[in-house]
Amino acid sequence: MPLRTLANVLDSALDRTVVPGFSKIGYAVRRRLPTWPADPAPGSLAGRHVVVTGATSGLGTATARQLSALGAHVHLVVRNADKAADVARELPGPSTTWTCDLGDLDSVRACAAAMLADAPPLDAIVHNAGAMPAERTESPQGHELSMSIHVLGPVLLTDLLLPKLEGHEARVVLVTSGGMYAQALPVDDPDYTRGTYAPPTAYARSKRTQVELLDILTVRWARAGVAVYVMHPGWAATPGVTESLPTFDKVMGPVLRDADQGSDTTTWLVGAQPRPRGGGLWMDRRERPTAYFGRNAASSDERRRMWQWVADATGLTP
């Protein structure tokens, strides 16, 4: 078999076996294959403006640093401006900080209004803000907090900022999680009001929602010329994992990716030229299946119903 065909077979096998593929083993193997795409050119983001939410820790900080190293002016969208100042001092390039709580839709609207008034045209948004509350917590608008931070806030912020993205071949990246493979779209209970609340389940349900809304968001934001991606970082060692999943962190710690490895594909999606085809779930610079053997895949009707819920919750016209 040709070398590239063998590389694709090995890549797919790593995916199906989960632990090797999602860990640092998969990352190390894949980047040595002939199918690994080239890195963005040095300075490829010079003069570009990129928004990174959740930029004060973990994957968000690593993403901001990588994008800055490529020349981007990074806009840090954060809850804590003091923590953002610490991150900004370590960036090799310029940055601007915007205060926003992605879990509070009123805060999202206020941040969007400030950015529409004062920010320059934007070339990309990376939605990395995340949370896994230890118990069921509601946003100020009464929505389960994981769903609000991972779905409602990012969708609303991006939609409101479309005037800043339009005409720039802009890119939007939603950072998801491999946990979404284990959950179905919670179309009948998006706010997790039924059953016993489990933080990892709530987190994974919201991440499944990101993936299943991808096609709808791609069509919606295409009018502004925006390409949309969902990016799976693999299993990465971050403060959030250590705090929220201590057993997983202890057992899998030796093979977890570091933050830079987990953020690699996000940076590549933002910086690669030509712009990668939008509308897919990506990991290690390659588009991946959103479900295996059809397990937990949503129907078009379920996606439509979930989108209607999101539109109603955010006040957007579906």
Side-chain angles (χ1 to χ4, degrees):
M1 296 171 66
L3 185 58
R4 292 183 67 86
T5 301
L6 285 171
N8 285 327
V9 170
L10 176 57
D11 191 337
S12 296
L14 287 168
D15 238 11
R16 302 306 191 271
T17 51
V18 181
V19 175
F22 288 9
S23 70
K24 66 182 181 183
I25 298 168
Y27 179 81
V29 171
R30 288 184 176 118
R31 68 174 296 111
R32 288 168 174 78
L33 296 176
T35 48
W36 185 259
D39 292 341
S44 59
L45 294 178
R48 306 290 182 91
H49 290 261
V50 181
V51 173
V52 180
T53 72
T56 55
S57 68
L59 298 180
T61 299
T63 300
R65 184 174 60 250
Q66 291 174 7
L67 295 171
S68 182
L70 289 173
H73 182 122
V74 181
H75 295 259
L76 309 172
V77 174
V78 300
R79 288 188 301 169
N80 189 318
D82 291 335
K83 288 184 178 180
D86 294 335
V87 173
R89 279 192 290 270
E90 299 299 321
L91 297 180
S95 66
T96 303
T97 297
W98 307 86
T99 303
C100 180
D101 181 351
L102 265 290
D104 181 347
L105 299 183
D106 290 337
S107 178
V108 171
R109 293 186 183 95
C111 179
M115 296 182 77
L116 287 172
D118 297 327
L122 301 173
D123 297 279
I125 301 177
V126 176
H127 286 294
N128 185 83
M132 189 186 297
E135 57 187 27
R136 187 181 182 279
T137 306
E138 291 189 350
S139 72
Q141 290 74 36
H143 299 293
E144 192 276 320
L145 192 57
S146 292
M147 190 66 77
S148 192
I149 291 174
H150 302 148
V151 178
L152 301 181
V155 168
L156 179 59
L157 182 62
T158 302
D159 212 81
L160 293 175
L161 290 179
L162 286 180
K164 290 291 184 181
L165 297 164
E166 192 168 9
H168 296 275
E169 285 204 335
R171 312 170 194 202
V172 172
V173 182
L174 296 154
V175 179
T176 190
S177 164
M180 69 90 191
Y181 282 111
Q183 294 296 321
L185 188 67
V187 65
D188 293 320
D189 187 23
D191 277 319
Y192 210 153
T193 59
R194 300 196 291 269
T196 302
Y197 184 84
T201 300
Y203 185 88
R205 283 160 51 122
S206 67
K207 296 298 186 177
R208 167 57 72 180
T209 303
Q210 290 178 329
V211 170
E212 296 294 353
L213 291 182
L214 182 58
D215 288 348
I216 291 172
L217 296 176
T218 293
V219 172
R220 181 179 181 86
W221 295 337
R223 60 190 168 92
V226 174
V228 190
Y229 314 89
V230 176
M231 196 287 296
H232 169 19
W235 290 340
T238 65
V241 169
T242 301
E243 180 180 347
S244 301
L245 300 170
T247 301
F248 175 83
D249 182 67
K250 183 177 180 179
V251 172
M252 301 303 298
V255 296
L256 293 181
R257 302 178 180 204
D258 62 31
D260 282 315
Q261 293 168 339
S263 301
D264 173 84
T265 297
T266 295
T267 299
W268 181 81
L269 286 168
V270 173
Q273 293 294 340
R275 184 174 70 173
R277 183 177 70 88
L281 167 64
W282 294 72
M283 183 180 73
D284 289 344
R285 304 191 186 186
R286 178 175 171 178
E287 197 167 343
R288 307 288 172 179
T290 59
Y292 291 112
F293 311 111
R295 184 170 179 261
N296 292 327
S299 68
S300 57
D301 179 66
E302 287 172 329
R303 295 187 192 102
R304 180 192 58 78
R305 289 166 55 203
M306 194 71 187
W307 168 239
Q308 183 66 60
W309 177 81
V310 170
D312 290 343
T314 54
L316 298 176
T317 302

